Amino acid sequence: MANRLRVAVLISGRGTNLQALIDACAKDDFSAEIVRVISNNEGAFGLERAQAAGLSTVVIDHRDFKDRSHFEKALNDDLEEYGTELICLAGFMRLLTGSFVDCWRDRLINIHPSLLPAFKGLNTHQRTIDDGVRIAGCTVHFVRADMDSGPIIVQAAVPVLPSDDESALSARILAQEHVIFPLALNLIATGCVQIIDEIVVIEGEPAHPRALVSPQLK
Ligand code: GRF
């Protein structure tokens, strides 16, 4: 497809969400392409995934810079060099400053493993279990300066089961992350997403009256 949206993916670790985006972008009818994968961690397994897919990669290690602004300047230079139109944060474990976030306003999205605005921050799955929550999930959102905040693009909900430990719940949520991140990216890339008064409006969104009830009643 011509004129695909040029996307950079920022990672720090295993890169399963990156892989979901790579797989989606490999489809003929997908409207985005990954032009650069940037990791702040040279040991990130996601770099191997990117290289296996023939993508252009670079390590920009925050520890090589004297402060955040120099690190972010290096990120910015690289992103601009590759003609990036949208950044996907896919397990990128560095907080970005307000000035970087403002510079990429409405062109920077993140995947978070909870139903935001609940459970911002780290350790979301264990906190979900500890609070006795019955429905959990994941969120793709535009990034704003406050951590894990910004207009919500797509969410997926999953039940929390009585037998769940952190790894079982995180696996169930992760499977949905791999669905909604490509979905959100394609919605943006096809021009279906508008932000009006900090709320995302999706063109042509069908009615969706089904409810997820947890526990499931007989
Ligand atoms: C995911 O759970 C994502 O929601 C969070 O960091 C994790 C990254 O996992 N932001 P992976 O590297 O994509 O496998």
Side-chain angles (χ1 to χ4, degrees):
M1 183 186 284
N3 289 327
R4 294 187 188 210
L5 187 72
R6 295 174 66 81
V7 173
V9 185
L10 272 53
I11 61 167
S12 298
R14 63 189 171 174
T16 66
N17 278 290
L18 166 64
Q19 188 67 56
L21 297 176
I22 290 171
D23 295 345
C25 289
K27 294 179 187 149
D28 286 341
D29 60 349
F30 202 77
S31 296
E33 63 176 320
I34 300 172
V35 296
R36 190 70 154 161
V37 174
I38 303 176
S39 175
N40 67 316
N41 166 20
E42 70 173 351
F45 184 67
L47 287 169
E48 291 181 37
R49 297 176 186 273
Q51 283 150 12
L55 296 175
S56 159
T57 65
V58 64
V59 176
I60 302 179
D61 187 334
H62 55 281
R63 293 170 302 187
D64 294 340
F65 298 89
K66 70 173 183 190
D67 58 26
R68 270 182 205 276
S69 71
H70 286 79
F71 170 58
E72 291 180 354
K73 162 96 172 61
L75 283 180
N76 242 325
D77 288 350
D78 194 83
L79 290 161
E80 271 163 24
E81 185 185 335
Y82 280 78
T84 305
E85 297 174 296
L86 183 86
I87 303 171
C88 292
L89 302 179
F92 184 66
M93 300 303 286
R94 301 300 299 168
L95 286 177
L96 295 164
T97 65
S99 86
F100 184 93
V101 169
D102 288 347
C103 173
W104 289 91
R105 188 178 174 89
D106 301 345
R107 300 183 297 149
L108 174 60
I109 66 175
N110 180 47
I111 178 99
H112 182 76
S114 77
L115 289 174
L116 291 173
F119 299 108
K120 297 179 177 182
L122 297 175
N123 202 20
T124 52
H125 307 110
Q126 190 59 52
R127 286 159 56 212
T128 297
I129 292 169
D130 291 346
D131 281 0
V133 168
R134 292 213 176 257
I135 294 176
C138 46
T139 304
V140 181
H141 63 99
F142 288 102
V143 174
R144 297 292 184 255
D146 289 340
M147 185 187 62
D148 297 328
S149 73
I152 291 169
I153 309 162
V154 185
Q155 293 184 305
V158 301
V160 182
L161 304 182
S163 57
D164 276 347
D165 59 11
E166 189 179 6
S167 88
L169 180 59
S170 74
R172 191 174 310 117
I173 292 173
L174 189 64
Q176 295 309 311
E177 294 182 34
H178 299 161
V179 174
I180 68 169
F181 211 178
L183 171 60
L185 174 55
N186 207 41
L187 284 169
I188 294 169
T190 50
C192 294
V193 173
Q194 275 187 82
I195 306 171
I196 299 175
D197 294 336
E198 288 296 84
I199 301 287
V200 165
V201 176
I202 295 176
E203 191 183 296
E205 182 174 351
H208 187 298
R210 261 180 303 149
L212 170 62
V213 177
S214 174
Q216 226 11 260
L217 303 175
K218 293 205 170 152

